Amino acid sequence: MKRAVLFDLDGVLLDSRAAQLATLAGFATSALDHRVTAADLPAGALTRPRAQVLAELGLSGVINEDGWDAATATAGLHTEAFPFVGETLTALRAAGVATAIVTLRSRRRVGWLLPPETLDLIDTIVCFEDAAPKPAPDGLLLALRRLDVVPKDAVFVGDTDIDIHAARAAGIRVVGAGWGFAGPDVLTRAGADLVLPHAAALADVLLLLLAGAEPSHQKSKRS
């Protein structure tokens, strides 16, 4: 039986909160030709589509991708994978579990944000160009097809309500990453099977879930 764990990128594997806000503010500053800071961004900027956030700031029309790339590359210099990531991915690989990232990022931007040693531990990456974006289940299902894993033998780790809805639509058990952008309460309301406030012993929890066990020391939506 093949098993897999799928991960969202930003807020789950990548500590990119500050970089995401800086990207939005930097792009808006250039596009609107006046200073925009992270404090000026509308509420929920981290969990809403960028076009919607920028529209509230007064930017209309198509987003200039070259300008967005420049803002992303500059802000992304300060991002790092969370400390638990290398250990977690290594433990999953040692247990014979395949791994994937399913992200709304474009493929070229993923390579700017994650170090090679982390990318080497991921079996496949599904990006914005590859499938309809979450909350559609297409990206998750594409990752499973590439890994030759069926939904019942997979777990998805996400940090927003959009992630939870995508996983539920795909028939994949979903873990809410409470350390990410939206927070535990949002993930619980969205219907996550399990919500973790932090990533301690994450590999152990995921392996228990894949084995069909319920990690009794963790907070689930049924508790």
Side-chain angles (χ1 to χ4, degrees):
M1 177 183 70
K2 298 188 69 174
R3 304 170 297 165
V5 176
L6 316 181
F7 296 93
D8 180 45
L9 178 59
D10 289 284
V12 176
L13 298 180
L14 190 68
D15 187 3
S16 58
R17 180 183 298 270
Q20 289 270 65
L21 295 173
T23 298
L24 285 163
F27 181 83
T29 293
S30 176
L32 297 172
D33 200 26
H34 64 79
R35 179 178 171 83
V36 178
T37 70
D40 298 322
L41 298 175
L46 285 172
T47 58
R48 295 163 58 195
R50 61 179 186 173
Q52 189 179 101
V53 174
L54 293 168
E56 285 195 28
L57 293 171
L59 179 66
S60 60
V62 177
I63 292 173
N64 181 290
E65 293 298 333
D66 288 338
W68 188 262
D69 278 350
T72 299
T74 301
L77 295 175
H78 304 289
T79 64
E80 293 183 354
F82 285 109
F84 66 84
V85 170
E87 178 182 356
T88 299
L89 295 177
T90 299
L92 291 174
R93 176 160 290 187
V97 175
T99 56
I101 290 173
V102 182
T103 177
L104 297 180
R105 295 272 193 181
S106 68
R107 185 164 301 280
R108 67 193 303 250
R109 291 170 190 151
V110 171
W112 300 345
L113 297 168
L114 282 176
E117 58 268 24
T118 300
L119 292 171
D120 287 345
L121 293 170
I122 299 293
D123 294 302
T124 192
I125 301 175
V126 175
C127 297
F128 179 81
E129 305 95 319
D130 300 324
K134 296 173 286 185
D138 304 46
L140 301 178
L141 294 172
L142 174 58
L144 292 185
R145 288 197 296 273
R146 289 178 178 177
L147 298 173
D148 193 25
V149 174
V150 296
K152 70 180 182 64
D153 294 327
V155 173
F156 178 52
V157 185
D159 71 319
T160 68
D161 55 346
I162 289 174
D163 291 326
I164 307 305
H165 297 325
R168 304 295 286 183
I172 302 171
R173 195 164 192 190
V174 56
V175 172
W179 62 89
F181 289 168
D185 291 343
V186 170
L187 300 172
T188 299
R189 289 195 299 270
D193 292 290
L194 187 69
V195 177
L196 304 179
H198 49 72
L202 179 59
D204 292 339
V205 172
L206 294 172
L207 290 172
L208 282 171
L209 289 172
L210 289 171
E214 182 74 35
S216 59
H217 64 293
Q218 300 290 349
K219 177 184 177 183
S220 83
K221 71 173 185 177
R222 293 179 294 277
S223 59

